[in-house]
């Protein structure tokens, strides 16, 4: 068993040993959902003050409003009753460090982890790579404020999203732990 | 400002006031990633023992290996160095409570939150609905063990996923807080 697997299962044993949340109902008690980035430095439960049972948390690379994120949000409202949604990107996001072309080129060389330095990305893997990286939109980010506005707008304008749901747009600052409002996103996400 | 927005920002102010994680680097310190469900009762940081900076956490409705989840996992390994992945579904998942047809029918009637009782789902919204729900695969689940195996296999067989990454399959029990191994998924996710 790997070190990581052992550690995770040991931590889980500790959590389960004092677990007292077995009674919680399925629908989120506080009736809201957060879409945010998978970044390891982000703990949405901590930065937004969530206890188990409070809110849905959807995460992907960038916290982007992908079709899959929208699938999750529509289920969250339609079947499980959430009435307010947050889109939260963050400073120093990995999605700002590459482009679709860079990712396709790197994967074309090898599937192994690449390295980055001041001159850019370098593939150091042994290969073989795969051309399939060209067929994926990696949803990279040029500007965080702009990506939050874009994603809030995409959700706002989706045909399966009710016009009355407020969608809030924020950037989480990884240096300070603060949620910083994106005014244009708040405007874009206002109920219609 | 809504009650929820006020509460989230107030909780965030508390978190930021004692924040001491501003130095963390972007790549996950413990080099692994978790794909799990958005369910409100799941707190992956707690159930798997994660501190800020430790691991990537990707979440969607069901914890499914959607194209978007695989996009996130490939970025996680290729650019940010994770070397082990967990797929963690859970008991009493909302994704077991409906089918693609049920969701399309409900959305066709209205976009508002539906209710469920012993006789099934009922749409109580005012409409109008949208036919667009028919064009989405909602990735529902019939059997949790089977869905974990399927998703681990889908990731294992993806052309952009290196054969050497172990993919672990678990079910989180919402009644006990325990991670329960899915043996067939562990086998399916073994390095090749």
């Amino acid at each position: 068993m790997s070190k990581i697997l052992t550690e995770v299962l040991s931590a889980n044993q500790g959590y389960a040993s004092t677990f007292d949340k077995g009674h919680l109902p399925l629908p989120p008690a506080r009736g809201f959902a957060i879409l945010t980035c998978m970044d390891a430095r982000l703990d949405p439960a901590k930065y937004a003050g969530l206890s188990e049972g409070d809110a849905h948390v959807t995460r992907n690379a960038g916290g982007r409003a992908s079709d899959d994120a929208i699938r999750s949000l529509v289920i969250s409202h339609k079947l499980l009753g959430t009435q307010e949604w947050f889109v939260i990107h963050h400073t120093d996001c990995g999605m700002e460090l590459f482009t679709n072309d860079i990712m396709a080129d790197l994967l074309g060389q090898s599937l192994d982890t690449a390295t980055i330095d001041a001159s850019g990305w370098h593939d150091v893997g042994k290969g073989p790579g795969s051309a399939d990286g060209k067929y994926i939109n990696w949803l990279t980010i040029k500007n965080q404020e702009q990506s939050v506005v874009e994603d809030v707008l995409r959700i706002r304008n989706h045909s399966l999203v009710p016009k009355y749901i407020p969608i809030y747009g924020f950037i989480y600052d990884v240096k300070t732990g603060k949620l910083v409002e994106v005014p244009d996103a708040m405007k874009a996400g206002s109920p219609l």
Side-chain angles (χ1 to χ4, degrees), chain A residues 17-41:
Chain A
S17 71
T18 59
F19 189 75
D20 60 357
K21 316 270 185 182
H23 61 286
L24 293 172
L26 201 163
R30 293 173 61 198
F32 70 100
I34 292 175
L35 167 60
T36 195
C37 185
M38 69 175 179
D39 189 287
R41 294 163 296 179

Side-chain angles (χ1 to χ4, degrees), chain A residues 6-167:
Chain A
T6 306
E7 288 172 359
V8 165
L9 293 180
S10 161
N12 178 252
Q13 210 163 27
Y15 179 62
S17 71
T18 59
F19 189 75
D20 60 357
K21 316 270 185 182
H23 61 286
L24 293 172
L26 201 163
R30 293 173 61 198
F32 70 100
I34 292 175
L35 167 60
T36 195
C37 185
M38 69 175 179
D39 189 287
R41 294 163 296 179
L42 274 54
D43 187 335
K46 286 191 185 164
Y47 77 53
L50 310 179
S51 293
E52 291 95 325
D54 278 356
H56 283 145
V57 181
T58 294
R59 302 178 67 174
N60 63 32
R64 303 309 310 263
S66 60
D67 290 350
D68 195 50
I70 290 175
R71 172 183 71 86
S72 301
L73 290 171
V74 172
I75 289 170
S76 175
H77 170 73
K78 180 71 191 172
L79 303 182
L80 296 166
T82 63
Q83 303 289 336
E84 298 174 66
W85 297 344
F86 292 75
V87 174
I88 304 177
H89 295 181
H90 65 97
T91 59
D92 191 35
C93 184
M95 302 302 285
E96 296 168 289
L97 300 179
F98 66 108
T99 62
N100 276 335
D101 285 345
I102 289 172
M103 188 63 165
D105 284 349
L106 289 171
L107 288 165
Q109 293 170 61
S110 88
L111 304 182
D112 305 338
T113 300
T115 58
I116 189 172
D117 63 21
S119 70
W121 286 98
H122 305 280
D123 202 89
V124 292
K126 289 182 190 153
S130 165
D132 288 353
K134 285 188 192 174
Y135 297 83
I136 293 181
N137 183 340
W138 297 94
L139 303 178
T140 62
I141 291 175
K142 272 190 198 162
N143 174 292
Q144 285 295 344
E145 294 213 0
Q146 192 183 313
S147 68
V148 175
V149 174
E150 269 175 25
D151 286 6
V152 166
L153 266 179
R154 181 164 200 245
I155 298 167
R156 172 81 297 150
N157 294 327
H158 196 280
S159 61
L160 295 174
V161 172
K163 301 298 176 207
Y164 53 77
I165 293 185
I167 308 161

